[in-house]
Amino acid sequence: MASSQEKETMGEDLDRTKLPQILIHRYPPFTVPCKHRLLRKFQLLEPDDSILPTHSFLAEYAQSVRVILCVGPSPVDSRTLDCFPSLQCVVGTSAGVDHIDLAECSRRGISVTSAGDAFSDDVADYAVGLLFDVLRRISASNRYVRAGLWPLKGDFPLGSKIGGKTIGIVGMGSIGIRVAKRLEAFDCHIAYNSRKKKPCFPFPYYENVPDLAAESDALIICCALTDKTRHIINRDVMKALGKEGVIINVGRGALVNEKDLVKFLVEGQIGGAGLDVFENEPNVPKELFGLDNVVLSPHRAVATPESLQALEEVVIGNLDAFFSNKPLISQVPHE
Amino acid sequence: MEAIGLLMACPMSSYLEEELDKRFNLFRFWNFPQKQEFLKENRNIIRAVVGNAGAGADAELIDSLPKLEIVANYSVGLDKVDLVKCKEKGIKVTNTPDVLTDDVADLAIGLIIATLRRICACDRYVRSGAWKKGDFKLTTKFTGKSVGIIGLGRIGSAIAKRAEAFNCPISYYSRTEKRDTKYKYYPTVVDLASNCQILVVACPLTEETRHIINRQVIDSLGPKGVLINIGRGPHVDEPELVSALVDGRLGGAGLDVFENEPEVPKELFSLDNVVLLPHVGSGTVETRKAMADLVIGNLEAHFMNKPLLTPVV
């Protein structure tokens, strides 16, 4: 039994201990979304915030934990899962679930949920924004004006027309389809690669990414990071894309062989890139800082208050569904 | 046609210059510091002027060129041409509609996303090394925001079509309500600004539309509103705009044009919620070539007594 001091620390009272329990799995500096709303409905077990050392905390609570709220990219691997023998569900708070061992969860019969569609519009908007920035040189010419160069050096060099370009989308999930819908309004042609062809989509499908790249003027990477997709954008893809080609990455840094991309960009073997994610955030290869045909972004594609609000609804929705034995809202399919 | 004198008002395109040089007796106005002298000496040779958004044919120039037959513009906007004077003297005027519509509309959307999502500021944040110290702040969602367009012509309609793909409700102001459109009409710009979150200027610059974005409109748009200008600088009362942005009374602005280009108010340089572009609305290799070809095509048509390709009615 927890001491009364312990109960005070954890904000418990007798009523609260009757609420369904959620274990918060959180690596600093990530914060629990919608904590105030969660506290009204659930008992939050927070090993990282307890005065008890972790092993004591776990000894007290681990046996009964049925659901974990996995905050941000905090890793959930076999070791984590071993701590919670009664675990049935991991509720994630991000679109990507590459930090969760899906195979292990599946093996143990543990469901996993993600942010679902909560972020999809924002990420699609951002991908389009990055593409337009690279093609029309928005950040570069904004820099030019702010440096006072317009009166001194005259007109900025011309960009490249968006309409009529073929945009290859890598990953035709909820983000990819939204990117496609937006770009069609700009008279872009859409082509895609995905794990499986989607018969209901009217766009040309390519079974592998180099083939897609060969037919595309730009690639937009919005697929999940898995063992199969790590470094899916490699030098073969970049060569196929060609010297005018543009790469936009709003997925995960490790989808792209970053070392090769930097080399190709520095050597002018590829036309440009818009990158929101990197292999080793927040570290960004310094060679890119001097390039005008690259737009760099600090992993902000989902960062709007509207997305966070939508995430809250999905998280609480999944937790409510779990505790009332209803279907989960945004379950990640077992592979 | 090599003997025909053609005056190019300012540097605008080296491709166009080269092509005109091959076909005409080309005079580059900016190479003559003594402009009055130059005009006096060549008044009877010059039969055509090529202008753009920066410089065209005002009343004074037209009066100095008694043999002027045609003003061919390397732009769609005609605010630098004295149209009344041209009509009086039977001088033909052409511009470059349609070929640049897509590029300008694309840029309007690019500016909206860059402004709302702070893409340029994010890029600056990474390049400065600041990301290592902490995350950039939250920005503002674009999808679903209401977009108000001033002027529902070719460019305004193209912007509307694109914004619809982001599920944005569209409303507009125009001199007269358009019967064949599904978008909501507001009879005044202040009404439009009060009822939208993103206000886009896409109308021609005329005496009536000068400073169409004034203090009252800016106040109606408010601290969460964003102004996008891909029209002409004088559409906006620039000192009022600057003051509103610096004070935080306006949420943000994406500006491709300014009252006194290439001068841009320096007070804007330090603001994260503002994107400043050097008049690149039609600035792609593909479109500028298409515009130049249209200028050449119009001039050739005129001097060969064929119908003009894109006359201004």
Side-chain angles (χ1 to χ4, degrees):
Chain A
M1 274 301 290
S3 65
S4 53
Q5 187 189 18
E6 171 102 310
K7 280 182 192 163
E8 205 178 279
T9 307
M10 286 189 289
E12 284 185 14
D13 53 35
L14 277 173
D15 285 335
R16 190 169 289 285
T17 57
K18 292 197 165 85
L19 294 172
Q21 287 178 341
I22 301 174
L23 184 105
I24 306 296
H25 179 61
R26 180 182 72 82
Y27 275 30
F30 301 100
T31 54
V32 182
C34 54
K35 193 166 180 178
H36 56 288
R37 282 178 74 184
L38 292 173
L39 282 168
R40 276 188 244 138
K41 305 170 82 143
F42 307 106
Q43 179 189 1
L44 302 188
L45 306 175
E46 299 185 76
D48 304 299
D49 292 333
S50 171
I51 52 168
L52 290 181
T54 310
H55 67 269
S56 306
F57 186 98
L58 291 178
E60 172 81 29
Y61 295 105
Q63 296 301 315
S64 57
V65 166
R66 292 171 59 212
V67 65
I68 284 178
L69 179 64
C70 173
V71 179
S74 310
V76 174
D77 55 15
S78 292
R79 275 184 52 187
T80 317
L81 298 174
D82 284 343
C83 295
F84 305 103
S86 307
L87 188 62
Q88 293 170 285
C89 185
V90 175
V91 172
T93 64
S94 51
V97 288
D98 45 287
H99 53 288
I100 299 175
D101 189 335
L102 294 178
E104 260 312 300
C105 287
S106 177
R107 207 177 61 73
R108 299 175 194 222
I110 297 169
S111 307
V112 178
T113 70
S114 69
D117 285 349
F119 301 147
S120 301
D121 282 334
D122 270 332
V123 181
D125 290 354
Y126 209 72
V128 170
L130 284 175
L131 177 69
F132 285 16
D133 193 320
V134 176
L135 289 176
R136 298 297 302 269
R137 306 187 167 208
I138 294 178
S139 284
S141 55
N142 173 62
R143 265 200 297 281
Y144 185 77
V145 171
R146 284 170 136 99
L149 294 175
W150 193 13
L152 293 179
K153 291 174 87 174
D155 284 341
F156 194 74
L158 299 176
S160 182
K161 192 177 166 79
I162 289 160
K165 289 216 167 21
T166 299
I167 310 300
I169 299 179
V170 181
M172 195 53 101
S174 83
I175 295 171
I177 189 60
R178 283 164 173 79
V179 171
K181 176 192 165 203
R182 282 152 177 71
L183 289 177
E184 279 198 301
F186 296 83
D187 294 332
C188 291
H189 309 295
I190 305 296
Y192 73 104
N193 163 268
S194 207
R195 276 169 308 185
K196 283 186 253 204
K197 185 172 175 176
K198 316 240 168 180
C200 53
F201 289 173
F203 317 121
Y205 171 75
Y206 290 86
E207 279 190 12
N208 63 65
V209 182
D211 284 351
L212 176 66
E215 298 303 316
S216 301
D217 298 301
L219 292 178
I220 299 191
I221 320 303
C222 38
C223 59
L225 177 64
T226 65
D227 287 337
K228 297 200 180 78
T229 60
R230 191 174 182 281
H231 284 191
I232 198 174
I233 307 302
N234 55 25
R235 51 178 44 231
D236 288 339
V237 170
M238 295 178 216
K239 278 199 201 125
L241 193 56
K243 291 204 164 148
E244 308 284 322
V246 170
I247 291 178
I248 304 297
N249 190 4
V250 291
R252 286 287 179 268
L255 289 165
V256 173
N257 184 321
E258 198 162 277
K259 220 163 123 210
D260 281 346
L261 178 63
V262 171
K263 187 164 187 293
F264 271 65
L265 283 165
V266 164
E267 291 176 2
Q269 298 297 325
I270 205 165
L275 308 169
D276 185 46
V277 285
F278 302 86
E279 290 214 67
N280 187 25
E281 294 170 20
N283 297 300
V284 174
K286 287 186 175 44
E287 300 92 314
L288 300 180
F289 289 3
L291 300 178
D292 252 6
N293 58 342
V294 173
V295 180
L296 305 168
S297 168
H299 203 150
R300 294 278 88 181
V302 311
T304 67
E306 293 91 340
S307 261
L308 297 188
Q309 180 66 37
L311 174 68
E312 280 188 20
E313 301 308 320
V314 169
V315 165
I316 290 181
N318 276 310
L319 290 167
D320 281 345
F322 175 77
F323 285 113
S324 35
N325 285 320
K326 294 208 174 107
L328 299 167
I329 292 177
S330 54
Q331 183 165 2
V332 178
H334 290 211
E335 289 293 291
Chain B
M1 280 189 293
E2 277 105 353
I4 298 172
L6 185 148
L7 179 67
M8 204 170 186
C10 62
M12 55 188 82
S13 156
S14 33
Y15 166 71
L16 180 59
E17 247 179 81
E18 279 160 29
E19 295 299 311
L20 292 177
D21 218 358
K22 289 180 200 165
R23 293 162 171 77
F24 297 95
N25 183 8
L26 178 66
F27 296 96
R28 296 168 177 79
F29 206 17
W30 60 98
N31 284 344
F32 298 94
Q34 313 294 336
K35 292 203 162 29
Q36 297 305 324
E37 292 283 316
F38 162 78
L39 289 171
K40 240 179 162 164
E41 274 177 33
N42 296 286
R43 53 191 272 114
N44 290 318
I45 307 175
I46 292 171
R47 294 166 61 188
V49 164
V50 169
N52 74 346
D58 58 13
E60 203 191 314
L61 183 69
I62 294 169
D63 281 335
S64 318
L65 299 173
K67 306 286 185 182
L68 185 60
E69 297 169 25
I70 178 169
V71 177
N73 287 291
Y74 181 67
S75 67
V76 68
L78 295 161
D79 43 287
K80 295 288 189 205
V81 178
D82 190 327
L83 294 171
V84 169
K85 195 114 209 180
C86 286
K87 191 162 181 193
E88 250 173 51
K89 299 201 160 198
I91 297 170
K92 309 237 181 77
V93 179
T94 66
N95 63 350
T96 58
D98 299 320
V99 291
L100 50 66
T101 301
D102 287 341
D103 268 1
V104 178
D106 293 348
L107 191 79
I109 302 295
L111 266 175
I112 292 174
I113 303 178
T115 306
L116 260 64
R117 301 300 305 271
R118 304 271 197 272
I119 296 185
C120 308
C122 277
D123 179 275
R124 198 159 51 239
Y125 192 77
V126 174
R127 283 172 203 257
S128 72
W131 192 14
K132 296 202 184 174
K133 302 193 190 114
D135 280 337
F136 192 77
K137 57 195 164 194
L138 295 183
T139 59
T140 308
K141 186 171 184 161
F142 173 33
T143 285
K145 291 259 173 352
S146 50
V147 174
I149 304 176
I150 300 176
L152 206 65
R154 286 172 292 248
I155 293 173
S157 302
I159 293 171
K161 173 190 161 204
R162 285 153 172 75
E164 281 191 298
F166 294 81
N167 294 340
C168 296
I170 309 290
S171 51
Y172 73 100
Y173 162 82
S174 201
R175 277 169 306 181
T176 51
E177 187 172 357
K178 312 244 173 203
R179 293 288 158 216
D180 55 348
T181 178
K182 51 191 163 159
Y183 308 132
K184 183 159 169 61
Y185 173 70
Y186 285 97
T188 71
V189 180
V190 167
D191 280 347
L192 182 67
S194 306
N195 287 286
C196 71
Q197 292 156 303
I198 302 166
L199 184 63
V200 184
V201 182
C203 59
L205 179 65
T206 63
E207 288 195 13
E208 288 85 33
T209 63
R210 189 175 179 279
H211 285 193
I212 198 172
I213 305 297
N214 55 22
R215 168 96 192 210
Q216 208 191 353
V217 171
I218 292 170
D219 285 345
S220 303
L221 197 47
K224 294 207 152 79
V226 167
L227 177 73
I228 304 293
N229 191 4
I230 46 87
R232 287 286 181 265
H235 275 129
V236 175
D237 183 336
E238 205 160 89
E240 279 296 341
L241 176 67
V242 171
S243 154
L245 286 165
V246 165
D247 291 349
R249 287 181 285 113
L250 181 64
L255 308 169
D256 185 42
V257 286
F258 303 87
E259 287 214 76
N260 187 25
E261 294 170 20
E263 300 299 330
V264 174
K266 292 187 172 42
E267 301 93 311
L268 300 179
F269 287 7
S270 57
L271 301 179
D272 257 5
N273 57 343
V274 175
V275 178
L276 307 166
L277 301 186
H279 203 148
V280 292
S282 61
T284 65
V285 170
E286 298 90 332
T287 292
R288 289 290 172 84
K289 179 171 189 298
M291 286 163 66
D293 288 344
L294 200 43
V295 169
I296 297 162
N298 274 308
L299 288 165
E300 285 182 335
H302 171 72
F303 288 110
M304 297 199 298
N305 288 317
K306 292 198 178 130
L308 296 173
L309 303 179
T310 47
V312 170
V313 174

